[in-house]
Every structure is written in C-alpha cells, then in structure tokens.
Amino acid sequence: MNKHSVCKALKLIVILLCAAGVGFFALWRFPNRGLTAALLDSQGRVLGRASWTAEQIAGEEGLFAIPLRFDAFEKAGGSFAAAASTLRVSGVFKSISAKEFDFNAISRMIGGAESCEWKWTPKCVEVKGLAILFIMINVFEERLSDTARNNHSFVFEVKKFFSQLRRYKNYMVYSARADLNAEVANSYLNRLWWLLEPFFNMMVYVVIFGRVMGNSVQNYATFVFSALLMWNYFSKILNFSVKLVRNSRDIVTKVYVPKFVLLLSNMFLNFFKLIFSMSVLIVMLAVFRVHVGFNVVWILPAYALMILLSFGAGMVLLHYGVFIDDLAYAIGILLNMLMFLSGVFYNVMTTLPEPLNVLMMTVNPVALFIDVMRNALLLNRAADLPLLGLWLFVSLLLCYAGVHIVYKNENSYVKII
C-alpha cells in the first residue's frame, strides 16, 4: 500500500467517524439539565431570576411542564407586572438565551392567578466534528506529493491567496475610492445619498410593519434600521458578485487581476458606505435614549462573520455567474425571500412559532448575525458562542471553497464572456 492509499484510507475513516458521531448525538438521550428563567424589563435589565434543577424538571417524551410562580422569583424591587417585558430561559450559560417569551403574552395566560404552567421542549445542540483532522490529512498528503504546485492543493492556494492579497492591497483601496467618487460625481446631494437611502427605507418599513410589530418591540425604528444596515451590505455584495466577471469584462480580458481582488474592492466600497450610514444609527440611539452596555462589543464578531460569509458566498456566486446567465435573477428572488426570513422587521425568537424559530436561527446565518447584533446593541446581551463558532467554521470553509473554485477555473472565464 503506497502513501496516497494510506491518506485516502485515513480520510475514509474520518468521514465514517463523523457520520457515527452525528448519529450518536442525534439518537442518544441526554439527561435533563437545569434551567434558569429571568424576567427582564424593556431595557434588558434583570428584575428577578428563578432556577430549577434537573431533578425538579419532570419530563415525558421530551416534554415537561414547569410551574411558574411570581413568588419563585427573587424581587429586585418594584412590581413585575408593571416593569416586566420579557421572560428569558437559559441553560448552562446564562448569557445565551435558549428561549424568550413576550411577558405581555404569557401574562394573559396567568390572569389573576398566582401561577401557571407552560410547556418547554429541551434542545441540545452538540457540535462534534473531525474537519480539522480531515484538513490536516489533506495537508500531509500534499506534502508527500511531488506535484503539489500544479494540483491546486490546499497549502499552495492559501499561500497564493495571501500573497496576492498583499500585492494588490493598494489597488483594492484605490479602486474602491475611485468608485466612491464616481457614484456621487454628478449628484446634487453627493454623499448624503448614503444616509438618505437606508433612512427612507427604514421609514417605509416602520410605517408598514410598525402597526404589526411596533407595540411589541421597544424602539422599533432603531430595531429595524440597525438590521437594515447589515442586510443591505450582505445583499449588495451577493448581487454584485453574480455579475462581477461579466461587468468587469474590460479588465478581465485585457490584464490578469485575481478575481477576488475585484470582489474585495466592492466590499471595501460598501463597507465605507456602511460606516458612513452608521452615523444615523448613532444619532437614533441618542435620540431614543437607548442604553448601550459593555456587551456592545459583540457587534464586532457579528459584522466580521457577516463579512466573511459574504466573501465566501460571493466567490462561489462569482464563478457560477459566469456560466449561468439566469443566476442573477434567481439570486435576486432568493435574497428577497431571505430578507423576510431573517428577522429584519421582527424578532425571530419571539414572533415565529416553535420549532421554526430555533430552526431559522440555526440554519439561517443572516438571522443569527442580525439577532446577535441587535441583542448586543439594544439589549446589552452576550452572543450565542456555539452558533457563532459553527458559522465561523462554515464561513471559512465556504471562503476556501470559493477561492479554490475560482483559481481552478479562472482561465476559462475569458472564453465564456
């Protein structure tokens, strides 16, 4: 058995272990864990907490009922009925919300009674993977190969990517700056349009959706505007990437420029416009007197992951947009659907029924990033680290897949366009 056969056998073993691990965690019945419920006011401040141990949680077929009494909470002062806004349930990590209830909704069930009972389905997300080991085997196999520089191998492409990133960084900045100036060259309002566009979009959405959601969401205008800034950046990058090669025909056919450089130039352009538009958000936070706490730092990883995912998805769409003419129309339709599924106008966890809300927050990264950003900015809450870690890995994998596909096929783009 030669060295390449050994590597293939190791890869097969890793794949089988991954499949066995997924099956194990899907079928194994984990014991119940303790829960903590916290009553919060409209500013996210904790009014009181109540805890239940695993022994106190009676379950049958994955469902259990917990008696909820006002006197079970340790009061921090004042009346719960007057100040309470949200009931948040958490598991091991109190900073990570497992489920949220609108207190106005559950108070109608309580009425004048001292207690009520509510149903809760325990969920446990275990992320077990051997992807790192799989990549290490690929790297080891590449090191053994005598033709590593000619077979689009992992290490070679990663080195090539960062080498070209350093070489073309000045070009990306210059191109983004030139495009920014060209956008407003012949307009009367100049860069003011970068503020007016998201602001007036927010006004329209607040007027339309405000009657439905405005009464249950504090500072609804800020709630919508903060999400629109993130969503607009993501959607613009994906819409641009599909038509990037065809729209850059003059550059692609005359001189070699790494295709990811063209995408990053547009990402720099839109990121500058995003920063410029955030000045309106800062003013809105001051006008509506939104308390901003230390957990606002979680905005940074939310935006970083959103940018990373945009680049990875954009590179994949960049490639297939060359060969599929109708892909731009399909992406436009899918993005419109995704906008309404990502909680731009509503809170996914409190508005959608269970288990759709949990599923949407798990499989829809845009909904997760928007939720993390808004919780940090408006409610001073920490992020859901396990889910962020999962989508960090998926985003990195998508980035490598996109760069690999483009490197492998970029020489054929000129023939197609």
Side-chain angles (χ1 to χ4, degrees):
M1 181 178 292
N2 58 29
K3 54 190 179 183
H4 296 292
S5 299
V6 173
C7 290
K8 290 181 179 178
L10 289 174
K11 290 180 184 179
L12 180 60
I13 293 173
V14 170
I15 293 174
L16 292 176
L17 287 175
C18 286
V22 171
F24 173 79
F25 285 104
L27 300 176
W28 184 261
R29 293 179 63 87
F30 289 92
N32 289 329
R33 299 179 180 179
L35 290 178
T36 298
L39 281 175
L40 310 175
D41 64 8
S42 59
Q43 300 298 322
R45 293 188 293 262
V46 177
L47 298 175
R49 294 184 188 273
S51 299
W52 298 270
T53 63
E55 290 74 17
Q56 293 174 313
I57 301 173
E60 183 178 356
E61 297 298 329
L63 291 173
F64 55 85
I66 297 177
L68 177 64
R69 295 179 174 86
F70 284 150
D71 55 13
F73 291 86
E74 298 176 1
K75 288 189 178 181
S79 171
F80 284 124
S85 174
T86 306
L87 176 65
R88 183 172 67 183
V89 181
S90 56
V92 179
F93 303 100
K94 294 182 176 60
S95 62
I96 300 175
S97 175
K99 186 172 180 62
E100 291 186 359
F101 297 92
D102 182 3
F103 188 75
N104 292 328
I106 65 172
S107 64
R108 288 194 292 269
M109 294 188 296
I110 297 173
E114 291 294 328
S115 65
C116 71
E117 290 194 352
W118 50 282
K119 296 274 186 182
W120 167 256
T121 304
K123 292 181 175 62
C124 180
V125 179
E126 296 283 349
V127 180
K128 299 288 183 181
L130 297 171
I132 303 297
L133 180 59
F134 190 85
I135 293 175
M136 290 176 62
I137 295 174
N138 270 333
V139 173
F140 178 71
E141 184 180 14
E142 174 190 340
R143 290 298 187 184
L144 295 176
S145 175
D146 298 328
T147 59
R149 292 183 61 86
N150 300 320
N151 62 2
H152 299 282
S153 55
F154 176 80
V155 173
F156 174 67
E157 288 185 339
V158 171
K159 288 182 178 179
K160 180 180 178 181
F161 173 79
F162 285 104
S163 174
Q164 291 180 338
L165 189 63
R166 288 192 299 268
R167 187 186 311 168
Y168 288 92
K169 64 179 184 298
N170 292 332
Y171 170 80
M172 289 185 287
V173 174
Y174 176 80
S175 176
R177 186 183 303 169
D179 290 341
L180 282 171
N181 293 330
E183 279 193 12
V184 296
N186 298 318
S187 62
Y188 291 105
L189 297 180
N190 208 289
R191 291 174 174 81
L192 190 59
W193 282 114
W194 302 340
L195 301 178
L196 295 178
E197 180 186 1
F199 181 77
F200 281 113
N201 285 338
M202 178 270 296
M203 293 295 294
V204 172
Y205 294 135
V206 167
V207 170
I208 295 176
F209 293 95
R211 283 187 168 273
V212 179
M213 299 298 304
N215 294 330
S216 60
V217 178
Q218 289 291 116
N219 301 320
Y220 188 67
T222 310
F223 180 89
V224 172
F225 187 74
S226 59
L228 275 177
L229 292 182
M230 181 174 278
W231 169 256
N232 286 340
Y233 182 89
F234 178 79
S235 62
K236 286 179 180 178
I237 297 303
L238 265 59
N239 276 319
F240 175 83
S241 63
V242 182
K243 300 176 285 187
L244 188 153
V245 176
R246 293 182 179 274
N247 290 345
S248 305
R249 183 181 294 106
D250 294 337
I251 297 176
V252 173
T253 56
K254 290 180 173 61
V255 63
Y256 174 75
V257 177
K259 307 306 176 289
F260 74 85
V261 169
L262 302 176
L263 179 59
L264 285 176
S265 297
N266 184 262
M267 293 180 69
F268 287 158
L269 180 149
N270 283 289
F271 185 75
F272 180 82
K273 294 164 67 174
L274 172 66
I275 297 298
F276 197 77
S277 299
M278 279 188 175
S279 59
V280 177
L281 179 61
I282 295 174
V283 173
M284 293 177 68
L285 292 174
V287 170
F288 292 107
R289 298 180 180 179
V290 177
H291 173 71
V292 178
F294 177 76
N295 283 320
V296 73
V297 297
W298 288 105
I299 291 178
L300 299 179
Y303 266 100
L305 283 178
M306 186 265 297
I307 292 171
L308 195 65
L309 182 68
S310 301
F311 175 74
M315 288 297 291
V316 175
L317 294 176
L318 179 154
H319 167 72
Y320 288 104
V322 177
F323 302 96
I324 306 174
D325 293 336
D326 296 338
L327 186 60
Y329 299 104
I331 293 300
I333 296 173
L334 290 175
L335 285 175
N336 284 334
M337 296 172 58
L338 186 62
M339 179 178 68
F340 288 97
L341 294 174
S342 299
V344 175
F345 318 114
Y346 58 91
N347 189 320
V348 172
M349 292 301 296
T350 59
T351 304
L352 297 181
E354 190 183 339
L356 181 60
N357 53 0
V358 178
L359 178 66
M360 192 62 61
M361 196 63 68
T362 304
V363 303
N364 184 354
V366 181
L368 174 65
F369 301 155
I370 289 177
D371 187 69
V372 170
M373 179 272 301
R374 280 198 297 219
N375 283 341
L377 181 66
L378 304 178
L379 301 176
N380 192 29
R381 294 182 190 169
D384 190 337
L385 284 179
L387 274 181
L388 287 183
L390 174 63
W391 280 106
L392 172 62
F393 174 75
V394 172
S395 300
L396 290 174
L397 195 63
L398 194 60
C399 287
Y400 172 70
V403 171
H404 171 74
I405 292 172
V406 172
Y407 273 155
K408 192 173 182 178
N409 298 278
E410 62 182 353
N411 291 333
S412 63
Y413 293 164
V414 177
K415 302 175 184 178
I416 303 298
I417 62 175

